[in-house]
Each structure stands twice: as C-alpha cells, then as structure tokens.
Coordinates of all heavy atoms in Angstrom, one line a residue:
M13 N -2.0 86.9 -3.9 CA -2.6 86.5 -5.0 C -3.7 85.5 -4.6 O -3.4 84.5 -4.0 CB -1.6 85.9 -6.0 CG -2.1 86.0 -7.4 SD -0.9 85.2 -8.5 CE -0.3 86.6 -9.4
S14 N -4.9 85.7 -5.1 CA -6.0 84.7 -4.8 C -6.0 83.5 -5.7 O -5.3 83.5 -6.7 CB -7.3 85.5 -4.9 OG -7.6 85.7 -6.2
A15 N -6.8 82.6 -5.4 CA -6.8 81.4 -6.2 C -7.4 81.7 -7.5 O -7.1 81.0 -8.5 CB -7.7 80.3 -5.4
A16 N -8.3 82.6 -7.6 CA -8.9 83.0 -8.9 C -7.9 83.6 -9.8 O -7.8 83.4 -11.0 CB -10.1 84.0 -8.7
D17 N -7.0 84.5 -9.2 CA -5.9 85.1 -10.0 C -4.9 84.0 -10.5 O -4.5 84.1 -11.6 CB -5.1 86.1 -9.1 CG -5.9 87.3 -8.8 OD1 -6.9 87.6 -9.5 OD2 -5.6 88.0 -7.8
V18 N -4.6 83.0 -9.7 CA -3.7 82.0 -10.1 C -4.4 81.1 -11.2 O -3.7 80.8 -12.2 CB -3.4 81.1 -8.9 CG1 -2.6 79.8 -9.3 CG2 -2.6 81.8 -7.9
A19 N -5.7 80.9 -11.1 CA -6.4 80.1 -12.1 C -6.4 80.9 -13.4 O -6.2 80.3 -14.5 CB -7.8 79.8 -11.7
R20 N -6.6 82.2 -13.4 CA -6.6 83.0 -14.6 C -5.2 83.0 -15.2 O -5.1 82.9 -16.4 CB -7.1 84.5 -14.3 CG -8.6 84.6 -14.3 CD -8.9 86.1 -14.3 NE -8.4 86.8 -13.1 CZ -9.2 87.1 -12.0 NH1 -10.4 86.7 -12.0 NH2 -8.6 87.7 -11.0
A21 N -4.2 83.2 -14.4 CA -2.8 83.2 -14.9 C -2.5 81.8 -15.5 O -1.9 81.8 -16.6 CB -1.9 83.5 -13.8
E22 N -2.9 80.7 -14.9 CA -2.7 79.4 -15.5 C -3.4 79.2 -16.8 O -2.9 78.7 -17.8 CB -3.1 78.3 -14.5 CG -2.1 78.2 -13.3 CD -2.5 77.2 -12.3 OE1 -3.7 76.7 -12.4 OE2 -1.7 76.8 -11.4
A23 N -4.6 79.7 -16.9 CA -5.4 79.7 -18.1 C -4.7 80.5 -19.2 O -4.6 80.1 -20.4 CB -6.8 80.1 -17.9
K24 N -4.2 81.7 -18.8 CA -3.5 82.5 -19.8 C -2.2 81.8 -20.3 O -1.9 81.9 -21.5 CB -3.2 83.8 -19.1 CG -2.8 84.9 -20.0 CD -2.7 86.3 -19.2 CE -2.4 87.4 -20.1 NZ -2.2 88.7 -19.4
V25 N -1.5 81.2 -19.4 CA -0.3 80.5 -19.8 C -0.6 79.3 -20.7 O 0.0 79.1 -21.7 CB 0.5 80.0 -18.5 CG1 1.6 79.0 -18.9 CG2 1.1 81.2 -17.8
A26 N -1.7 78.6 -20.4 CA -2.1 77.5 -21.2 C -2.5 77.9 -22.6 O -2.1 77.3 -23.6 CB -3.2 76.7 -20.6
A27 N -3.2 79.1 -22.7 CA -3.6 79.6 -24.0 C -2.4 80.0 -24.8 O -2.3 79.8 -26.0 CB -4.6 80.8 -23.8
A28 N -1.4 80.7 -24.1 CA -0.2 81.1 -24.8 C 0.6 79.9 -25.3 O 1.2 79.9 -26.4 CB 0.6 82.0 -23.9
R29 N 0.6 78.8 -24.5 CA 1.4 77.6 -24.8 C 0.7 77.0 -26.1 O 1.4 76.5 -27.0 CB 1.4 76.6 -23.7 CG 2.2 75.4 -23.9 CD 2.2 74.4 -22.8 NE 2.8 75.0 -21.6 CZ 2.2 75.1 -20.4 NH1 1.0 74.7 -20.2 NH2 2.8 75.7 -19.4
E30 N -0.6 76.9 -26.1 CA -1.3 76.3 -27.3 C -1.1 77.2 -28.5 O -0.9 76.6 -29.6 CB -2.8 76.2 -27.0 CG -3.2 75.2 -26.0 CD -2.8 73.8 -26.5 OE1 -3.0 73.5 -27.7 OE2 -2.3 73.0 -25.6
K31 N -1.1 78.5 -28.4 CA -0.8 79.4 -29.5 C 0.6 79.1 -30.0 O 0.8 79.0 -31.2 CB -1.0 80.8 -29.1 CG -0.8 81.8 -30.2 CD -1.1 83.2 -29.8 CE -0.8 84.2 -30.9 NZ -1.0 85.6 -30.5
L32 N 1.6 79.0 -29.1 CA 2.9 78.8 -29.5 C 3.1 77.4 -30.2 O 3.8 77.3 -31.2 CB 3.9 78.9 -28.3 CG 5.4 78.6 -28.6 CD1 5.9 79.7 -29.6 CD2 6.1 78.7 -27.3
L33 N 2.4 76.4 -29.6 CA 2.5 75.1 -30.2 C 1.9 75.1 -31.6 O 2.4 74.5 -32.5 CB 1.8 74.1 -29.3 CG 1.8 72.6 -29.8 CD1 3.2 72.1 -29.8 CD2 1.0 71.8 -28.8
G34 N 0.8 75.8 -31.8 CA 0.1 75.9 -33.1 C 1.1 76.6 -34.1 O 1.2 76.1 -35.3
S35 N 1.7 77.6 -33.7 CA 2.7 78.3 -34.5 C 3.8 77.4 -34.9 O 4.3 77.4 -36.1 CB 3.2 79.6 -33.9 OG 2.1 80.5 -33.6
T36 N 4.3 76.7 -34.0 CA 5.5 75.8 -34.2 C 5.1 74.7 -35.2 O 5.8 74.4 -36.1 CB 5.9 75.1 -32.9 OG1 6.3 76.2 -32.0 CG2 7.1 74.3 -33.1
Q37 N 3.9 74.1 -35.0 CA 3.4 73.1 -36.0 C 3.2 73.7 -37.4 O 3.6 73.0 -38.4 CB 2.1 72.5 -35.4 CG 2.4 71.6 -34.2 CD 1.1 71.1 -33.6 OE1 0.0 71.7 -33.9 NE2 1.2 70.1 -32.7
A38 N 2.7 74.9 -37.5 CA 2.5 75.5 -38.8 C 3.9 75.8 -39.4 O 4.0 75.5 -40.6 CB 1.7 76.8 -38.6
L39 N 4.8 76.2 -38.6 CA 6.2 76.5 -39.2 C 6.8 75.2 -39.6 O 7.4 75.1 -40.7 CB 7.0 77.1 -38.1 CG 8.4 77.6 -38.5 CD1 8.4 78.5 -39.7 CD2 9.2 78.2 -37.4
Q40 N 6.7 74.1 -38.9 CA 7.2 72.8 -39.3 C 6.6 72.3 -40.6 O 7.3 71.8 -41.4 CB 7.0 71.8 -38.2 CG 7.9 71.9 -37.0 CD 7.6 70.9 -35.9 OE1 6.5 70.4 -35.8 NE2 8.6 70.6 -35.1
A41 N 5.3 72.5 -40.7 CA 4.6 72.1 -42.0 C 5.2 72.9 -43.2 O 5.3 72.4 -44.2 CB 3.1 72.3 -41.8
R42 N 5.4 74.2 -43.0 CA 5.9 75.0 -44.1 C 7.4 74.7 -44.4 O 7.8 75.0 -45.5 CB 5.8 76.5 -43.7 CG 4.4 77.0 -43.7 CD 4.2 78.5 -43.6 NE 4.9 79.1 -44.7 CZ 5.4 80.3 -44.7 NH1 5.4 81.0 -43.6 NH2 5.9 80.9 -45.8
L43 N 8.1 74.2 -43.4 CA 9.6 73.9 -43.7 C 9.8 72.5 -44.1 O 11.0 72.1 -44.1 CB 10.3 74.3 -42.4 CG 10.4 75.8 -42.1 CD1 11.2 76.0 -40.8 CD2 11.0 76.6 -43.2
K44 N 8.8 71.7 -44.4 CA 9.0 70.4 -44.9 C 9.8 70.5 -46.2 O 9.5 71.4 -47.0 CB 7.7 69.7 -45.1 CG 7.1 69.1 -43.9 CD 5.8 68.4 -44.4 CE 5.3 67.4 -43.3 NZ 4.1 66.8 -43.8
P45 N 10.7 69.6 -46.5 CA 11.4 69.6 -47.7 C 10.5 69.6 -49.0 O 10.8 70.3 -50.0 CB 12.4 68.4 -47.7 CG 12.6 68.2 -46.2 CD 11.3 68.6 -45.6
S46 N 9.5 68.8 -48.9 CA 8.6 68.7 -50.1 C 7.9 70.0 -50.3 O 7.7 70.4 -51.5 CB 7.6 67.6 -49.9 OG 6.8 67.8 -48.7
V47 N 7.5 70.7 -49.3 CA 6.8 72.0 -49.4 C 7.7 73.0 -49.9 O 7.4 73.8 -50.8 CB 6.2 72.4 -48.0 CG1 5.6 73.8 -48.1 CG2 5.1 71.4 -47.6
L48 N 9.0 73.0 -49.4 CA 10.0 74.0 -49.9 C 10.3 73.7 -51.3 O 10.4 74.7 -52.1 CB 11.2 73.9 -49.0 CG 11.1 74.4 -47.6 CD1 12.4 74.1 -46.8 CD2 10.8 75.8 -47.5
A49 N 10.4 72.5 -51.7 CA 10.7 72.2 -53.1 C 9.5 72.6 -54.0 O 9.8 73.1 -55.1 CB 11.0 70.7 -53.3
D50 N 8.3 72.4 -53.6 CA 7.1 72.8 -54.4 C 7.1 74.3 -54.5 O 6.8 74.8 -55.6 CB 5.8 72.3 -53.8 CG 5.6 70.8 -53.9 OD1 6.3 70.2 -54.8 OD2 4.8 70.3 -53.2
D51 N 7.4 75.0 -53.5 CA 7.4 76.5 -53.5 C 8.5 77.0 -54.5 O 8.2 77.9 -55.3 CB 7.6 77.1 -52.1 CG 6.4 76.9 -51.2 OD1 5.3 76.6 -51.7 OD2 6.6 77.1 -50.0
A52 N 9.7 76.4 -54.4 CA 10.8 76.8 -55.2 C 10.4 76.5 -56.7 O 10.7 77.3 -57.6 CB 12.1 76.1 -54.8
W53 N 9.8 75.3 -57.0 CA 9.4 75.0 -58.3 C 8.4 76.0 -58.9 O 8.5 76.4 -60.0 CB 8.9 73.6 -58.4 CG 8.4 73.2 -59.7 CD1 7.1 73.1 -60.1 CD2 9.2 72.9 -60.9 NE1 7.0 72.7 -61.4 CE2 8.3 72.6 -61.9 CE3 10.5 72.9 -61.1 CZ2 8.7 72.3 -63.2 CZ3 10.9 72.6 -62.4 CH2 10.1 72.3 -63.4
N54 N 7.4 76.3 -58.1 CA 6.4 77.3 -58.5 C 7.0 78.6 -58.8 O 6.6 79.3 -59.8 CB 5.3 77.4 -57.5 CG 4.4 76.1 -57.4 OD1 4.3 75.4 -58.4 ND2 3.8 75.9 -56.2
V55 N 7.9 79.1 -58.0 CA 8.5 80.4 -58.2 C 9.4 80.4 -59.5 O 9.3 81.3 -60.3 CB 9.4 80.8 -57.0 CG1 10.3 82.0 -57.3 CG2 8.5 81.1 -55.8
A56 N 10.1 79.3 -59.7 CA 11.0 79.2 -60.9 C 10.1 79.1 -62.1 O 10.4 79.7 -63.1 CB 11.9 77.9 -60.7
R57 N 9.0 78.4 -62.0 CA 8.1 78.3 -63.2 C 7.5 79.6 -63.5 O 7.5 80.0 -64.7 CB 7.0 77.2 -62.9 CG 6.1 77.0 -64.1 CD 5.0 76.0 -63.8 NE 4.4 76.4 -62.5 CZ 3.6 75.7 -61.8 NH1 3.2 74.6 -62.3 NH2 3.1 76.2 -60.7
E58 N 7.1 80.3 -62.5 CA 6.5 81.7 -62.8 C 7.5 82.6 -63.4 O 7.2 83.4 -64.3 CB 5.9 82.2 -61.5 CG 4.6 81.5 -61.0 CD 4.2 81.9 -59.6 OE1 4.8 82.8 -59.0 OE2 3.3 81.3 -59.1
K59 N 8.7 82.6 -62.8 CA 9.8 83.5 -63.4 C 10.1 83.1 -64.8 O 10.3 83.9 -65.6 CB 11.0 83.4 -62.5 CG 11.1 84.3 -61.4 CD 11.1 85.7 -61.9 CE 11.3 86.7 -60.8 NZ 11.1 88.1 -61.3
G60 N 10.2 81.8 -65.1 CA 10.4 81.3 -66.4 C 9.4 81.8 -67.4 O 9.7 82.2 -68.5
Q61 N 8.1 81.8 -67.0 CA 7.0 82.2 -67.8 C 7.2 83.7 -68.1 O 6.9 84.2 -69.2 CB 5.7 81.9 -67.2 CG 5.4 80.4 -67.2 CD 4.1 80.1 -66.4 OE1 3.6 80.9 -65.6 NE2 3.6 78.9 -66.7
E62 N 7.5 84.5 -67.1 CA 7.7 85.9 -67.2 C 8.9 86.2 -68.2 O 8.7 87.1 -69.1 CB 8.0 86.6 -65.9 CG 6.8 86.6 -64.9 CD 7.2 87.1 -63.5 OE1 8.3 87.8 -63.4 OE2 6.4 86.9 -62.6
V63 N 10.0 85.5 -68.0 CA 11.1 85.7 -68.9 C 10.8 85.4 -70.3 O 11.1 86.1 -71.3 CB 12.3 84.9 -68.4 CG1 13.5 84.9 -69.4 CG2 12.8 85.5 -67.1
A64 N 10.1 84.3 -70.5 CA 9.7 83.8 -71.9 C 8.8 84.9 -72.5 O 8.9 85.2 -73.7 CB 9.0 82.5 -71.8
A65 N 7.8 85.4 -71.8 CA 6.9 86.4 -72.3 C 7.6 87.6 -72.7 O 7.4 88.2 -73.7 CB 5.8 86.7 -71.3
E66 N 8.6 88.0 -71.9 CA 9.4 89.2 -72.1 C 10.3 89.0 -73.4 O 10.4 89.9 -74.2 CB 10.3 89.6 -70.9 CG 11.1 90.8 -71.1 CD 10.3 92.1 -71.3 OE1 9.2 92.1 -70.8 OE2 10.8 93.0 -71.9
A67 N 10.8 87.8 -73.5 CA 11.6 87.5 -74.7 C 10.8 87.5 -76.0 O 11.2 88.1 -77.0 CB 12.3 86.1 -74.5
V68 N 9.6 87.0 -75.9 CA 8.7 87.0 -77.1 C 8.4 88.4 -77.4 O 8.4 88.8 -78.6 CB 7.4 86.2 -76.8 CG1 6.4 86.4 -77.9 CG2 7.8 84.7 -76.7
R69 N 8.1 89.2 -76.5 CA 7.8 90.6 -76.7 C 8.9 91.4 -77.4 O 8.8 92.1 -78.3 CB 7.4 91.3 -75.4 CG 6.9 92.8 -75.6 CD 6.8 93.6 -74.3 NE 8.1 93.6 -73.6 CZ 9.1 94.5 -74.0 NH1 9.0 95.2 -75.0 NH2 10.2 94.5 -73.3
A70 N 10.1 91.1 -76.8 CA 11.3 91.8 -77.4 C 11.6 91.3 -78.8 O 12.0 92.2 -79.7 CB 12.6 91.4 -76.5
V71 N 11.4 90.1 -79.1 CA 11.6 89.6 -80.5 C 10.6 90.2 -81.4 O 10.9 90.5 -82.6 CB 11.6 88.0 -80.5 CG1 11.5 87.5 -81.9 CG2 12.8 87.4 -79.8
K72 N 9.3 90.3 -81.0 CA 8.3 90.9 -81.8 C 8.6 92.4 -82.1 O 8.3 92.9 -83.2 CB 6.9 90.8 -81.2 CG 6.4 89.4 -81.3 CD 5.0 89.3 -80.7 CE 4.4 87.9 -80.8 NZ 3.1 87.8 -80.2
E73 N 9.2 93.1 -81.1 CA 9.5 94.5 -81.3 C 10.7 94.7 -82.2 O 10.7 95.7 -82.9 CB 9.7 95.2 -79.9 CG 8.5 95.3 -79.1 CD 8.7 96.0 -77.8 OE1 9.9 96.3 -77.5 OE2 7.8 96.2 -77.0
R74 N 11.7 93.8 -82.1 CA 12.9 94.0 -82.8 C 13.4 92.7 -83.4 O 14.3 92.1 -83.0 CB 14.0 94.5 -81.9 CG 13.7 95.9 -81.3 CD 14.8 96.3 -80.3 NE 14.4 97.6 -79.7 CZ 13.8 97.6 -78.5 NH1 13.4 96.5 -77.9 NH2 13.5 98.8 -78.0
P75 N 12.7 92.3 -84.5 CA 13.1 91.0 -85.1 C 14.4 90.9 -85.7 O 15.1 89.9 -85.6 CB 12.0 90.7 -86.1 CG 11.4 92.1 -86.4 CD 11.6 92.9 -85.2
I76 N 14.9 92.0 -86.3 CA 16.2 91.9 -87.0 C 17.3 91.9 -85.9 O 18.3 91.0 -86.0 CB 16.4 93.2 -87.9 CG1 15.4 93.1 -89.0 CG2 17.8 93.2 -88.4 CD1 15.3 94.3 -89.9
I77 N 17.2 92.7 -84.9 CA 18.2 92.6 -83.8 C 18.2 91.3 -83.1 O 19.3 90.7 -82.8 CB 18.0 93.8 -82.8 CG1 18.3 95.1 -83.5 CG2 18.9 93.6 -81.6 CD1 17.9 96.3 -82.7
S78 N 17.0 90.8 -82.9 CA 16.9 89.5 -82.2 C 17.5 88.3 -83.1 O 18.2 87.5 -82.5 CB 15.5 89.1 -81.9 OG 14.9 90.1 -81.1
S79 N 17.3 88.4 -84.4 CA 17.9 87.4 -85.3 C 19.4 87.5 -85.3 O 20.1 86.5 -85.3 CB 17.4 87.6 -86.7 OG 16.0 87.4 -86.7
A80 N 19.9 88.7 -85.3 CA 21.4 88.9 -85.3 C 22.0 88.4 -84.0 O 23.0 87.8 -84.0 CB 21.7 90.4 -85.5
A81 N 21.3 88.6 -82.9 CA 21.8 88.1 -81.6 C 21.8 86.6 -81.6 O 22.7 86.0 -81.1 CB 21.0 88.7 -80.5
A82 N 20.7 86.0 -82.1 CA 20.7 84.6 -82.1 C 21.7 84.0 -83.0 O 22.4 83.0 -82.7 CB 19.3 84.1 -82.6
I83 N 22.0 84.6 -84.2 CA 23.1 84.1 -85.1 C 24.4 84.2 -84.4 O 25.3 83.3 -84.5 CB 23.0 84.9 -86.4 CG1 21.8 84.4 -87.2 CG2 24.3 84.6 -87.2 CD1 21.5 85.3 -88.4
G84 N 24.6 85.4 -83.7 CA 25.9 85.6 -83.0 C 26.1 84.5 -81.9 O 27.2 84.0 -81.7
L85 N 25.0 84.3 -81.2 CA 25.1 83.3 -80.1 C 25.4 81.9 -80.7 O 26.3 81.1 -80.2 CB 23.8 83.2 -79.3 CG 23.8 82.2 -78.2 CD1 24.9 82.5 -77.1 CD2 22.4 82.2 -77.5
A86 N 24.7 81.5 -81.8 CA 25.0 80.2 -82.4 C 26.4 80.1 -82.9 O 27.0 79.1 -82.8 CB 24.0 80.0 -83.5
A87 N 26.9 81.2 -83.5 CA 28.3 81.2 -84.0 C 29.3 81.0 -82.8 O 30.3 80.3 -82.9 CB 28.6 82.5 -84.8
F88 N 29.0 81.7 -81.7 CA 29.9 81.6 -80.6 C 29.9 80.1 -80.0 O 30.9 79.6 -79.7 CB 29.4 82.5 -79.4 CG 30.3 82.4 -78.2 CD1 31.5 82.9 -78.1 CD2 29.7 81.8 -77.1 CE1 32.3 82.8 -77.0 CE2 30.5 81.6 -75.9 CZ 31.8 82.1 -75.9
V89 N 28.7 79.5 -79.9 CA 28.6 78.2 -79.4 C 29.3 77.2 -80.3 O 29.9 76.2 -79.9 CB 27.1 77.8 -79.2 CG1 26.9 76.3 -78.9 CG2 26.5 78.7 -78.0
A90 N 29.1 77.4 -81.6 CA 29.7 76.5 -82.6 C 31.0 77.0 -83.2 O 31.4 76.6 -84.3 CB 28.7 76.3 -83.7
R91 N 31.8 77.8 -82.4 CA 33.0 78.4 -82.9 C 34.1 77.4 -83.3 O 34.8 77.5 -84.3 CB 33.5 79.4 -82.0 CG 34.0 78.9 -80.6 CD 34.3 80.0 -79.7 NE 34.8 79.5 -78.4 CZ 33.9 79.2 -77.4 NH1 32.6 79.2 -77.6 NH2 34.4 78.7 -76.3
R92 N 34.2 76.3 -82.5 CA 35.3 75.3 -82.8 C 34.9 74.5 -84.1 O 35.8 74.4 -84.9 CB 35.4 74.4 -81.6 CG 36.2 75.1 -80.5 CD 36.6 74.1 -79.4 NE 37.3 74.9 -78.3 CZ 37.0 74.7 -77.1 NH1 36.2 73.8 -76.7 NH2 37.7 75.4 -76.2
P93 N 33.7 74.0 -84.2 CA 33.4 73.3 -85.5 C 33.5 74.3 -86.7 O 34.0 73.9 -87.8 CB 32.0 72.8 -85.3 CG 31.8 72.8 -83.9 CD 32.6 73.8 -83.3
I94 N 33.1 75.5 -86.5 CA 33.2 76.5 -87.6 C 34.7 76.7 -88.0 O 35.1 76.8 -89.1 CB 32.5 77.8 -87.3 CG1 31.0 77.6 -87.2 CG2 32.8 78.9 -88.3 CD1 30.2 78.7 -86.7
A95 N 35.5 76.9 -87.0 CA 37.0 77.1 -87.2 C 37.6 75.9 -87.9 O 38.4 76.1 -88.8 CB 37.7 77.4 -85.9
K96 N 37.2 74.7 -87.5 CA 37.7 73.5 -88.1 C 37.3 73.4 -89.5 O 38.1 73.1 -90.4 CB 37.2 72.3 -87.3 CG 37.9 71.0 -87.7 CD 37.4 69.9 -86.8 CE 38.1 68.6 -87.2 NZ 37.6 67.5 -86.4
L97 N 36.1 73.8 -89.8 CA 35.6 73.8 -91.2 C 36.4 74.8 -92.1 O 36.8 74.4 -93.2 CB 34.1 74.2 -91.2 CG 33.4 74.2 -92.6 CD1 33.4 72.9 -93.2 CD2 32.0 74.8 -92.4
F98 N 36.6 76.0 -91.6 CA 37.4 76.9 -92.3 C 38.8 76.5 -92.5 O 39.5 76.7 -93.5 CB 37.4 78.3 -91.7 CG 36.1 79.1 -92.0 CD1 35.2 79.4 -91.0 CD2 35.8 79.4 -93.3 CE1 34.0 80.1 -91.3 CE2 34.6 80.1 -93.6 CZ 33.7 80.4 -92.6
G99 N 39.4 75.8 -91.5 CA 40.7 75.3 -91.6 C 40.8 74.2 -92.6 O 41.8 74.1 -93.3
M100 N 39.8 73.4 -92.7 CA 39.8 72.3 -93.8 C 39.7 72.9 -95.2 O 40.4 72.4 -96.1 CB 38.6 71.4 -93.6 CG 38.7 70.5 -92.4 SD 37.2 69.5 -92.0 CE 36.7 68.8 -93.5
W101 N 39.0 74.0 -95.3 CA 38.9 74.7 -96.6 C 40.3 75.3 -97.0 O 40.6 75.3 -98.2 CB 37.9 75.8 -96.6 CG 36.5 75.3 -96.7 CD1 36.0 74.1 -96.9 CD2 35.3 76.1 -96.5 NE1 34.7 74.0 -96.9 CE2 34.2 75.3 -96.7 CE3 35.1 77.5 -96.3 CZ2 32.9 75.8 -96.6 CZ3 33.8 77.9 -96.2 CH2 32.7 77.1 -96.4
R102 N 41.0 75.7 -96.0 CA 42.3 76.3 -96.3 C 43.4 75.3 -96.4 O 44.6 75.6 -96.6 CB 42.6 77.4 -95.3 CG 41.7 78.6 -95.4 CD 41.9 79.7 -94.4 NE 43.3 79.9 -94.1 CZ 43.7 80.5 -93.0 NH1 42.8 80.9 -92.1 NH2 44.9 80.7 -92.7
G103 N 43.1 74.0 -96.1 CA 44.1 72.9 -96.2 C 44.8 72.8 -94.9 O 45.9 72.1 -94.9
K104 N 44.3 73.3 -93.8 CA 45.0 73.1 -92.5 C 44.2 72.3 -91.5 O 43.8 72.7 -90.5 CB 45.2 74.5 -91.8 CG 46.1 75.4 -92.6 CD 46.3 76.7 -91.9 CE 47.2 77.7 -92.6 NZ 47.3 79.0 -92.0
D105 N 43.9 71.1 -91.9 CA 43.1 70.2 -91.1 C 43.9 69.8 -89.9 O 45.0 69.4 -89.9 CB 42.8 68.9 -91.9 CG 41.8 68.0 -91.2 OD1 41.1 68.6 -90.3 OD2 41.6 66.9 -91.6
K106 N 43.3 69.9 -88.7 CA 43.9 69.6 -87.4 C 43.5 68.2 -87.0 O 42.5 67.8 -86.9 CB 43.6 70.6 -86.4 CG 44.3 71.9 -86.7 CD 44.1 72.9 -85.5 CE 44.8 74.2 -85.7 NZ 44.6 75.1 -84.7

C-alpha cells in the first residue's frame, strides 16, 4: 500500500467518523427529555383535536342517541347520590 492509499484511507475514516459523530449528536438532541416531552404533547394535542372533531360530527349526525348516551353516562357517574335520593324518598335514609 502506498502512502497515497494510506492517506486516502485515513481521509475516508475521518469522514466516516465525522458523519457518525454528527449522527450521534443529532440523535442526542432528539432524545433530550424536553424534546421528547414536546413531541408527546404535540401528538396528544393533535389526537385530542381529532377525537373532539369526530365527537362533534357524531353528535351532529345523531343528536338523540348522543343525548341518551350522555344522560346514561351522567346517571352512571351519579348513581350513588341518585340511589341515596331515592332511598330518602322511600324512607330508607342510610
């Protein structure tokens, strides 16, 4: 191997090393906790907007069914106070 071949090989190795170092630095920048948190927040916000838009569309298409579902959910969430209220009416206060 001549000196020119060695110099070319060393230059090639140095270029590969710089490329790898640049890739490593870029990866470190992308894996910073603040960057990851911002990315996660943006994805969650976009998904939330999509879900909200879909919910609005569904309610507009089927308002009666949507109202019935909302009433059912509210009754489920408030089942204990509602049961207590009916118990008081029947004279079985707990």
Side-chain angles (χ1 to χ4, degrees):
M13 204 182 247
S14 69
D17 291 336
V18 171
R20 274 194 300 262
E22 287 176 348
K24 196 174 184 180
V25 167
R29 183 179 299 125
E30 288 299 317
K31 184 178 176 183
L32 179 62
L33 182 60
S35 298
T36 303
Q37 289 171 344
L39 184 59
Q40 284 177 337
R42 289 189 63 207
L43 292 178
K44 278 182 164 179
S46 61
V47 173
L48 291 175
D50 286 343
D51 288 347
W53 176 254
N54 289 335
V55 168
R57 185 182 46 189
E58 289 170 6
K59 271 298 187 190
Q61 289 173 345
E62 290 174 16
V63 168
E66 181 64 24
V68 167
R69 185 193 60 76
V71 168
K72 284 182 179 179
E73 286 180 1
R74 298 179 184 90
I76 294 172
I77 293 173
S78 301
S79 298
I83 291 168
L85 179 63
F88 177 75
V89 169
R91 66 189 178 277
R92 288 190 180 134
I94 291 171
K96 188 175 181 182
L97 178 66
F98 281 116
M100 287 171 50
W101 282 352
R102 290 177 38 199
K104 296 181 180 177
D105 189 17
K106 290 186 178 181

